[in-house]
Amino acid sequence: KNQVEQSPQSLIILEGKNCTLQCNYTVSPFSNLRWYKQDTGRGPVSLTIMTFSENTKSNGRYTATLDADTKQSSLHITASQLSDSASYICVVSPGEAGTALIFGKGTTLSVSS
Amino acid sequence: DAGITQSPRYKITETGRQVTLMCHQTWSHSYMFWYRQDLGHGLRLIYYSAAADITDKGEVPDGYVVSRSKTENFPLTLESATRSQTSVYFCASLAGLAGGGDEQFFGPGTRLTVL
């Protein structure tokens, strides 16, 4: 069964600290993996996308890694800001048109001052 | 407004009533999707459409009806709302591979409460 598991479920960190969110997937075939950020009361917004041949991708203070052999991905947030408080969702696409996405349940990050 | 919009943003209805959630996108994307998001679950696909007049079921289609007479609109109808359909509903669109990628762009969501 295609599944995406994320950990931790929730996380609280102090402003300025770094953190790493984890994503394990059992999806086949594999096309790409995205990390989405979802602010409270809003729709998800794509942060990064990685295909099978890519093992790291950065977007500002966000750096995603992918190990296609172990089927694991991580999202590292550097020097966290209050605005990073959100849910981060790992999404795997098994197909070419991106229609049948497999969503993780998300990690809720709270950044406090 | 450019992008993808949903209306209403909030809706309270009663069990048994028909409810229609609207979704409009200005990009002329081929694909459109409806998801529901509930605590303890990831986003789950209800229905999707590859083009006007082409729709297909997703993971949780029971109790929902969709239509797509125009490329830019993709309404979702709950024919007889039930309490289990209380959720946040997200519409998304996708250009398709020819459009330069497979990123789905999400609307702001509609919070539906069924009493």
Side-chain angles (χ1 to χ4, degrees):
Chain A
K1 180 180 178 183
N2 288 333
Q3 283 187 317
V4 174
E5 301 286 342
Q6 293 187 242
S7 62
Q9 185 174 354
S10 61
L11 182 62
I12 302 173
I13 62 173
L14 289 174
E15 187 178 15
K17 298 295 186 181
N18 304 335
C19 67
T20 300
L21 313 181
Q22 301 291 341
C23 173
N24 297 332
Y25 62 93
T26 55
V27 177
S28 182
F30 174 86
S31 177
N32 61 60
L33 183 149
R34 287 185 186 272
W35 283 92
Y36 277 86
K37 179 186 180 188
Q38 185 177 18
D39 292 314
T40 300
R42 308 190 74 162
V45 176
S46 179
L47 289 174
T48 64
I49 177 173
M50 290 177 291
T51 59
F52 185 88
S53 59
E54 298 174 296
N55 55 23
T56 188
K57 185 71 68 76
S58 291
N59 178 358
R61 295 179 296 102
Y62 301 100
T63 299
T65 64
L66 174 65
D67 185 333
D69 291 332
T70 62
K71 298 187 177 182
Q72 295 180 325
S73 177
S74 65
L75 180 68
H76 185 76
I77 304 174
T78 303
S80 61
Q81 300 176 358
L82 296 178
S83 59
D84 292 331
S85 296
S87 179
Y88 292 85
I89 304 171
C90 177
V91 184
V92 178
S93 173
E96 291 186 349
T99 55
L101 301 181
I102 312 299
F103 290 83
K105 295 179 182 179
T107 292
T108 300
L109 174 65
S110 298
V111 180
S112 60
S113 58
Chain B
D1 291 333
I4 183 165
T5 58
Q6 294 182 233
S7 62
R9 292 294 314 277
Y10 303 90
K11 177 72 176 179
I12 299 174
T13 191
E14 295 177 336
T15 302
R17 292 194 179 266
Q18 183 179 83
V19 177
T20 297
L21 310 183
M22 304 301 294
C23 179
H24 175 78
Q25 52 105 355
T26 61
W27 296 304
S28 298
H29 283 174
S30 298
Y31 291 87
M32 295 187 75
F33 308 83
W34 274 107
Y35 295 92
R36 60 179 290 172
Q37 187 175 40
D38 305 289
L39 282 175
H41 293 275
L43 283 151
R44 292 183 289 175
L45 182 64
I46 303 170
Y47 270 95
Y48 71 99
S49 168
D53 297 321
I54 300 175
T55 62
D56 209 345
K57 295 178 180 179
E59 180 185 354
V60 288
D62 294 342
Y64 303 95
V65 174
V66 293
S67 62
R68 194 161 177 215
S69 58
K70 293 183 178 181
T71 300
E72 61 267 29
N73 296 325
F74 191 37
L76 175 74
T77 297
L78 289 66
E79 293 190 301
S80 178
T82 65
R83 290 197 181 94
S84 65
Q85 292 177 310
T86 292
S87 186
V88 181
Y89 291 85
F90 288 97
C91 178
S93 71
L94 165 70
L97 288 182
D102 69 348
E103 178 178 352
Q104 291 192 21
F105 295 89
F106 288 83
T110 294
R111 183 175 293 275
L112 176 67
T113 301
V114 183
L115 302 177

